Amino acid sequence: EAYRNRLMGLDTLLANIEQQAIRKYNTQALPAAEVRKAAADFEEARRIRGLLGMPPRIPVTREGQALFNSLPPGAWYIWNDPKKGVVMQQKRGTVSGQ
């Protein structure tokens, strides 16, 4: 459980790096070199997150519901409810008869 929590923390850090890079990339006043660096940082963080193999985080939003609905039965996901402070890893239930 501790190892999983560390991986989730690393995934969160990489997601924050991605978001910072997106904000920089979308800033009009930055020089071209900084925009290119932001794009490179984004791609590197995304690649590392892919290598971690973390299951998707499902937020309590309409988009999160759509992401959950797209998961196959038995897929692992992380339930993320910031209002309640709940972050749990769960396995999507299988449909009976399949």
Side-chain angles (χ1 to χ4, degrees):
E1 187 174 325
Y3 182 69
R4 182 196 70 206
N5 291 340
R6 283 188 225 127
L7 281 177
M8 288 171 53
L10 181 57
D11 183 61
T12 300
L13 172 66
L14 291 167
N16 289 339
I17 291 171
E18 283 181 5
Q19 291 303 313
Q20 288 173 355
I22 288 170
R23 281 193 297 275
K24 280 185 181 180
Y25 185 82
N26 290 328
T27 301
Q28 301 289 330
L30 288 179
E34 286 189 45
V35 172
R36 284 192 298 274
K37 182 174 179 345
D41 290 347
F42 175 82
E43 290 301 322
E44 185 174 8
R46 172 133 317 168
R47 185 181 59 79
I48 293 170
R49 285 181 82 193
L51 291 173
L52 285 176
M54 292 294 292
R57 290 187 183 218
I58 308 293
V60 184
T61 62
R62 183 175 297 158
E63 294 82 15
Q65 183 65 48
L67 180 57
F68 177 80
N69 292 341
S70 71
L71 293 175
W76 286 96
Y77 66 94
I78 298 172
W79 179 253
N80 191 9
D81 187 350
K83 291 180 184 173
K84 296 180 182 177
V86 176
V87 176
M88 299 181 300
Q89 183 172 340
Q90 298 177 346
K91 192 173 188 180
R92 184 166 184 206
T94 57
V95 178
S96 62
Q98 289 187 352

